Amino acid sequence: MERTLILVKVDGVQRRLVGKILSRFEAKGLKIAGLKFRQFAREVIEEHYGEHRDKPFFPNVVGFMTSGPVCAIVLEGPEAVSVCRKLIGQTQSREADPGTIRGDLGISRQFNLVHGSDSTESAEREIALWFQEDELVDYTLCDEQWLDD
Ligand code: ADP
Ligand code: MG
């Protein structure tokens, strides 16, 4: 079983898409292990996007992601990291395939609604950044036996 970090970004919250985005992951069969909603500190956002620190778009992304509340979610499931990246679609929403979250709901590169960890290593780092260990919940859903082989 794998865990991944999902963020419904500020634009997703502003566009009232938290429920719609979360329901896509739930419908796929992923399980919510953690969930929080608030405006996060600049330090958290800067650390989260640390790999992009030297890129020209870094200040814009940090500015945008600190401008309002964000919904942070830990999802759990078989190959959760890659499954979620596929559901999310390409960074540039205009090029993201129809059927993906960005492909169906977005048309921007920067304001692309949702973040998903890009590897199991990133997921581990990002989950530790956004959640305390005791904020993650271990439980069983009644249909789990039908969702993995
Ligand atoms: P992804 O979120 O698909 O993993 P990246 O890790 O490459 O994409 O970039 C992180 C975030 O920074 C993107 O989701 C997007 O919000 C923003 N971003 C990426 N590239 C650009 C760009 N060239 N101009 C503006 N914003 C960008
Ligand atoms: Mg990324």
Side-chain angles (χ1 to χ4, degrees):
M1 228 21 88
E2 219 168 83
R3 280 177 170 173
T4 189
L5 181 88
I6 300 297
L7 302 174
V8 180
K9 300 186 184 185
V10 175
D11 56 324
V13 172
Q14 292 297 324
R15 291 182 53 203
R16 303 177 167 85
L17 291 172
V18 175
K20 195 168 268 183
I21 289 171
L22 182 52
S23 75
R24 292 215 178 196
F25 294 112
E26 284 194 285
K28 179 73 173 169
L30 292 143
K31 176 163 81 175
I32 298 168
L35 195 151
K36 55 173 76 169
F37 179 77
R38 76 175 71 119
Q39 191 159 348
F40 288 88
R42 173 169 292 266
E43 297 75 61
V44 175
I45 304 295
E46 284 179 348
E47 180 68 32
H48 176 78
Y49 284 119
E51 63 169 314
H52 299 305
R53 212 173 281 273
D54 300 326
K55 307 246 174 75
F57 62 82
F58 182 74
N60 284 343
V61 174
V62 173
F64 143 57
M65 287 293 284
T66 52
S67 68
V70 166
C71 189
I73 307 155
V74 174
L75 294 177
E76 190 176 298
E79 296 179 50
V81 170
S82 65
V83 165
C84 289
R85 290 284 290 193
K86 280 195 197 116
L87 291 182
I88 289 168
Q90 282 191 41
T91 307
Q92 168 58 279
S93 304
R94 297 200 271 278
E95 282 156 23
D97 289 335
T100 64
I101 294 168
R102 288 168 174 168
D104 287 351
L105 302 175
I107 198 160
S108 165
R109 176 168 57 187
Q110 175 167 212
F111 306 121
N112 58 10
L113 302 166
V114 60
H115 164 85
S117 309
D118 63 9
S119 66
T120 51
E121 294 75 25
S122 302
E124 205 171 308
R125 180 182 75 79
E126 292 171 4
I127 290 168
L129 174 68
W130 289 84
F131 287 84
Q132 306 289 326
E133 190 58 48
D134 67 1
E135 291 176 319
L136 299 175
V137 187
D138 230 332
Y139 63 104
T140 304
L141 288 172
C142 58
D143 61 357
E144 270 180 36
Q145 71 173 112
W146 307 109
L147 295 175
D148 193 15
D149 58 11

